[in-house]
């Protein structure tokens, strides 16, 4: 029996949409199953989330035909300043400054609001004839076998294909049914997220300010606005998020300071629990995990979505190349190429972020001087600075063709 499609994608968020688009650019069809209505996914409201899209990942978006839709709304991140400090005190004199002019490669990243990227991806999916976008539907079961794979929907519909790609989040039901285990850890931290308007221009500079409770990130957005990702203990986060606007703003100003002039909250505030989640395997026969289903990391370096975009580029390249030489896209040999390509890199980034969070999210009198000296030393070594700058721009390692600006 002929399958309904080449690939079944469970999960209609950004990773799922971009995966479907990448497959279509390589001539592969997909059914994209989303549990939320398209209208909800494409809602114009700001929910606090914004992404630092690394320069290499922006090339992937360009290769998928999205960058033209996005560039007007993207703010270049030209410089990054990393410092250590305490609430109400001046930052440490030892800090790290990544200046884009030193590398002469343009911005490190582009800041994009989640709602902008989501809407552009959905519009492109709707225009692509090789993608069958089904929403809202709920996947209740899946099967894999020697000849193919299937997804069963809540209404009893059974969809068939040659491969399932699970993009269904950190608590992936498909991974659980397949017996793929995850290493999980609760950070004991909550991320507070909001947007702030300010009087002085930010000049495209991002600030990562390490406080005892966790990092306080100030990320540039268009039109004299910044996105804040502010880490607190769960108890203090609950207290702060429940404050009236004026009191919340006072708490914010104690950490933010006045270097951008007067500040004003823009929109609502949100909170998200912070956890680590790493899948022990990325693939099984006719099944691949992608994005948060494979790895969920601490947001301090802004690499979560970039890891998912690297997954998209790598998996699309593996599957398209396999199709061109007549291989089975669902075979273990094909999928192992994706796992060996992506698992080590994603795990290394996750553990690096975990280590940085452990090192800096405290007020240990022994650790503080050591880490401050470390920041100062890296800042004075050009080779070390350039290494971290290339990492921030997503230019390290074996990059898929789409991330190098080449077609599939």
């Amino acid at each position: 029996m002929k399958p309904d499609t080449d690939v079944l994608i469970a999960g209609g968020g950004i990773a799922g949409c971009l995966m479907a688009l990448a497959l279509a650019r390589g001539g592969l069809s997909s059914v994209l199953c989303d549990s939320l209505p398209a209208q909800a996914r494409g809602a114009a409201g700001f929910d606090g989330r914004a992404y630092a899209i690394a320069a290499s990942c922006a090339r992937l978006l360009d290769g998928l035909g999205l960058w033209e839709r996005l560039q007007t709304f993207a703010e270049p991140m030209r410089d990054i300043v990393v410092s250590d400090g305490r609430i109400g005190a001046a930052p440490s004199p030892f800090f790290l400054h990544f200046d884009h002019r030193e590398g002469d490669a343009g911005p490190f990243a582009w800041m994009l609001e989640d709602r902008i990227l989501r809407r552009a991806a959905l519009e492109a999916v709707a225009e692509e004839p090789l993608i069958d976008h089904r929403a809202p539907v709920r996947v209740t079961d899946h099967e894999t076998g020697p000849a193919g794979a299937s997804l069963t929907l809540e209404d009893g519909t059974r969809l068939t294909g040659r491969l399932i790609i699970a993009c269904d989040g950190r608590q992936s039901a498909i991974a659980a049914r397949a017996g793929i285990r995850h290493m999980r850890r609760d950070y004991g931290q909550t991320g507070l997220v909001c947007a702030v308007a300010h009087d002085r221009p930010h000049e495209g500079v991002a600030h990562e300010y390490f406080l005892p409770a966790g990092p306080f990130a100030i990320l540039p957005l268009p039109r004299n606005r910044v996105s804040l990702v502010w880490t607190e203990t769960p108890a203090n986060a609950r207290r702060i998020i429940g404050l009236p606007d004026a009191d919340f703003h006072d708490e914010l100003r104690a950490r933010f300071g006045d270097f951008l002039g007067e500040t004003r909250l823009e929109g609502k505030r949100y909170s998200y629990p912070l956890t680590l989640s790493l899948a022990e395997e990325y693939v099984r026969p006719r099944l691949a995990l992608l994005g948060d289903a494979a790895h969920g990391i601490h947001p301090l370096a802004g690499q979560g979505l970039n890891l998912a975009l690297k997954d998209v580029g790598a998996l699309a390249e593996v599957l398209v190349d396999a199709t061109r030489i007549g291989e089975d896209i669902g075979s273990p040999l094909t999928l192992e190429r994706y796992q060996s390509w992506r698992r080590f890199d994603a795990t290394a980034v996750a553990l690096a972020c975990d280590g940085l969070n452990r090192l800096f999210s405290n007020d240990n009198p022994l650790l503080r001087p050591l880490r401050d000296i470390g920041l100062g030393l890296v800042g004075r070594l050009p080779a070390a600075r350039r290494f971290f700058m290339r990492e921030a721009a997503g230019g390290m390692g074996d990059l898929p063709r789409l991330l190098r600006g080449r077609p599939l």
Side-chain angles (χ1 to χ4, degrees):
M1 183 181 296
K2 184 180 178 182
D4 297 315
T5 190
D6 291 316
V7 179
L8 301 165
I9 301 175
I14 290 173
C17 287
L18 297 182
M19 188 69 243
L21 288 169
L23 293 173
R25 298 298 181 266
L28 292 173
S29 63
S30 63
V31 176
L32 178 62
C33 298
D34 189 356
S35 61
L36 292 178
Q39 296 88 341
R41 289 278 187 201
F46 178 59
D47 74 349
R49 291 179 296 176
Y51 306 115
I53 307 294
S56 61
C57 293
R59 289 193 287 271
L60 177 141
L61 295 174
D62 190 33
L64 299 184
L66 293 179
W67 195 243
E68 188 175 349
R69 306 172 195 244
L70 296 170
Q71 193 164 11
T72 304
F73 306 98
E75 180 68 22
M77 185 187 291
R78 296 186 175 90
D79 288 18
I80 303 172
V81 178
V82 182
S83 58
D84 195 8
R86 297 183 177 92
I87 297 172
S92 165
F94 301 99
F95 64 91
L96 190 53
H97 180 201
F98 298 127
D99 187 333
H100 75 286
R101 292 168 296 186
E102 184 176 354
D104 197 30
F108 296 108
W110 299 80
M111 286 300 302
L112 267 172
E113 293 177 29
D114 173 83
R115 57 175 176 162
I116 303 295
L117 179 54
R118 212 175 344 115
R119 190 164 61 239
L122 284 168
E123 289 171 356
V125 163
E127 295 164 4
E128 176 51 65
L130 285 174
I131 302 175
D132 177 3
H133 185 200
R134 303 198 181 192
V137 296
R138 193 168 76 88
V139 175
T140 57
D141 200 5
H142 80 277
E143 292 183 17
T144 58
S150 68
L151 293 178
T152 302
L153 306 183
E154 190 173 34
D155 65 0
T157 301
R158 186 170 179 268
L159 303 169
T160 58
R162 295 190 286 159
L163 170 69
I164 296 170
I165 300 177
C167 304
D168 53 343
R170 296 192 186 200
Q171 303 298 326
S172 171
I174 288 179
R177 281 195 297 269
I180 297 176
R181 296 185 300 178
H182 285 68
M183 186 274 283
R184 303 186 192 276
R185 188 161 72 82
D186 187 335
Y187 279 113
Q189 295 174 317
T190 297
L192 303 176
V193 181
C194 63
V196 172
H198 47 84
D199 290 341
R200 297 175 190 158
H202 51 56
E203 307 291 355
V205 180
H207 296 263
E208 188 79 74
Y209 186 31
F210 285 100
L211 297 171
F216 184 88
I218 303 171
L219 307 170
L221 293 175
R223 303 187 312 278
N224 274 21
R225 298 178 305 139
V226 292
S227 173
L228 298 186
V229 183
W230 165 9
T231 307
E232 285 288 347
T233 63
N236 207 32
R238 286 192 296 272
R239 179 187 68 81
I240 292 170
I241 205 74
L243 291 172
D245 283 351
D247 295 334
F248 180 87
H249 190 258
D250 289 342
E251 291 274 359
L252 183 153
R253 289 280 291 181
R255 296 156 176 81
F256 195 106
D258 59 0
F259 73 105
L260 291 177
E262 290 299 316
T263 57
R264 299 167 298 282
L265 285 174
E266 186 171 277
K268 299 179 181 179
R269 22 190 167 129
Y270 302 86
S271 64
Y272 303 96
L274 302 183
T275 60
L276 173 69
S277 172
L278 293 173
E280 294 183 0
E281 302 165 87
Y282 282 17
V283 300
R284 287 285 177 89
R286 303 205 178 276
L287 171 64
L289 308 186
L290 185 141
D292 281 354
H295 42 71
I297 70 172
H298 198 284
L300 69 87
Q303 291 302 304
L305 182 62
N306 289 315
L307 289 180
L309 297 186
K310 289 180 180 180
D311 292 349
V312 167
L315 185 52
E317 186 170 322
V318 166
L319 299 182
V320 169
D321 286 354
T323 300
R324 287 171 179 163
I325 61 176
E327 292 183 336
D328 181 356
I329 63 171
S331 75
L333 287 176
T334 298
L335 296 177
E336 179 55 36
R337 292 201 288 272
Y338 162 66
Q339 174 166 266
S340 62
W341 194 350
R342 291 297 309 135
R343 186 164 176 258
F344 176 81
D345 174 62
T347 301
V349 171
L351 295 180
C353 291
D354 182 75
L356 285 172
N357 184 57
R358 287 170 180 264
L359 176 64
F360 283 93
S361 296
N362 61 74
D363 201 20
N364 187 308
L366 298 178
L367 286 178
R368 180 176 287 277
L370 293 176
R371 67 197 187 207
D372 289 352
I373 292 169
L375 286 176
L377 284 175
V378 173
R380 287 166 173 76
L381 296 173
R385 278 201 315 275
R386 286 193 289 271
F387 172 84
F388 287 110
M389 287 162 65
R390 287 195 299 272
E391 185 66 39
M396 302 288 285
D398 183 12
L399 296 179
R401 289 195 291 267
L402 283 171
L403 278 83
R404 288 184 277 130
R406 294 172 53 193
L408 278 171

